[in-house]
Amino acid sequence: MSKYKIAWLPGDGIGKETMEAAKIVLDKLKFNAEYIHGDIGWEFWKKEGNALPKRTTEMMKKTDAGLFGAITSKPKQEAEKELDPALKGKGYEYYSPIVQMRQEFDLHTNLRPCKAYPGNPLNYKEGIDLVIFRENTEGMYCGVEFYPIPEKVFDVLDRHHPKMKKFRDKGIENIAMSMRIMTKQSCTRIVKNAFEYAKKYDRRSVTVVDKPNVLRETGGLIIRTARRVAQDYPDIELRETNIDAQCMWLIKNPTDYEILVAENLFGDILSDLSAQLVGGLGFACAGNIGDGYAVFEPTHGSAPKYTGQNKANPIASILASKMMLDWLGETEKAKILEDAVAEVIKEGKCRTYDMGGNNTTQEMAGVIAEKI
Ligand code: NAI
Ligand code: MG
């Protein structure tokens, strides 16, 4: 019997190809797992009105972790247009399967390592080794939004906040509102996770990134929480920075930072910026981590432009598999895999198009597997 059950969720477009590549290296590692395929992605939105059918989440509940490729998603009107005619007008609405997974399994922590592997021609600078902890369930992406804003909601806010008046003058029907909601619990959890990681991997500092001088309540909450949490880790320095300045400093001095913590939107921005510092979408991977379950993914999308061409860089998906191995406690296999990736990058003989070469997805996976 296999030691692990893994939910295998290739999804759409190049997700299918890069996951196939990841499978090559996992097999070479003799990772003792049963992979259970799960339906996910655009095809299922079109056919069933749900990009993450219930049978998939039910299956996932019986597994130890999930590995996810990529999905296609489209704006509201286009999504409705492509829906099976039999389902149209029946109240189906497109929800991102990634967001659905995060909510259903309470995958509260988005972990994004960004490492400049020596020899990668796409490195912005050598020596970058950052890890981002992005809060995954609340903040600016908590999903509480209004357009138009119901009059009752406006009235309540107007009664409780002097700044609302100027908006009433513009006409309630012209107002769109998205709320940034943060809780003490989630702030504590994400900061604590970051400090625990720093302790485990011997990092010296944790930088909390927000904008508390402007976003005084939510920003203030995460900063105060961080200061409290930091007291339990006297050997690790807590740094506090503003999101705008932090983006600038990541370009100027990217090697000055080890661990960054932020709420959902700011963490999203930091993650993409940092990913590009170390090679971009072909290298960027993430873990969506909850208390007892986690889903790992390359962060790129389905890249329709390259679908079916065996061209996409599989390293992001391969590194996502490495993260999964670490999370499962298979640290030895994770290390072997990362070393193999690092060696292939350093040698520079096998390179996909994004690295300036013309090797295929499958070839890259094969060469990495050879090093294992
Ligand atoms: P994308 O990430 O699919 O691709 C953008 C560009 O990045 C590609 O055209 C390609 O030049 C490059 N790229 C991406 N992955 C690569 C890889 N592995 N190797 C080499 N180059 C790579 O983003 P795009 O084009 O904005 O979106 C395409 C579809 O994917 C959309 O439907 C979008 O909604 C969806 N999407 C899904 C995500 C996910 O599943 N996590 C994330 C981002 C977009
Ligand atoms: Mg993003």
Side-chain angles (χ1 to χ4, degrees), residues 263-278:
E263 64 81 48
N264 224 333
L265 164 65
F266 291 164
D268 196 13
I269 294 170
L270 291 172
S271 298
D272 275 18
L273 197 163
S274 304
Q276 194 56 41
L277 297 177
V278 299

Side-chain angles (χ1 to χ4, degrees), residues 14 18 68-74 98 281-282 297-306 311-314 316 353-354:
I14 63 163
T18 61
F68 160 65
I71 45 130
T72 295
S73 65
K74 297 182 187 179
I98 308 171
L281 289 171
E297 56 164 335
T299 64
H300 60 72
S302 58
K305 205 162 75 185
Y306 294 107
K311 255 183 106 166
N313 188 345
Y353 86 92
D354 54 321

Side-chain angles (χ1 to χ4, degrees), residues 187-239:
C187 289
T188 307
R189 188 166 61 182
I190 194 76
V191 173
K192 213 169 154 52
N193 282 345
F195 271 96
E196 279 299 316
Y197 185 97
K199 193 166 126 186
K200 186 167 169 195
Y201 293 102
D202 227 5
R203 307 280 184 127
R204 287 151 304 159
S205 70
V206 170
T207 305
V208 177
V209 188
D210 207 275
K211 186 83 181 180
N213 54 337
V214 178
L215 297 166
R216 305 183 81 83
E217 302 309 334
T218 44
L221 179 68
I222 193 168
I223 294 296
R224 286 193 308 276
T225 306
R227 288 178 191 158
R228 205 161 37 235
V229 171
Q231 288 172 0
D232 296 336
Y233 303 86
D235 299 333
I236 302 163
E237 181 195 357
L238 171 69
R239 300 198 200 164

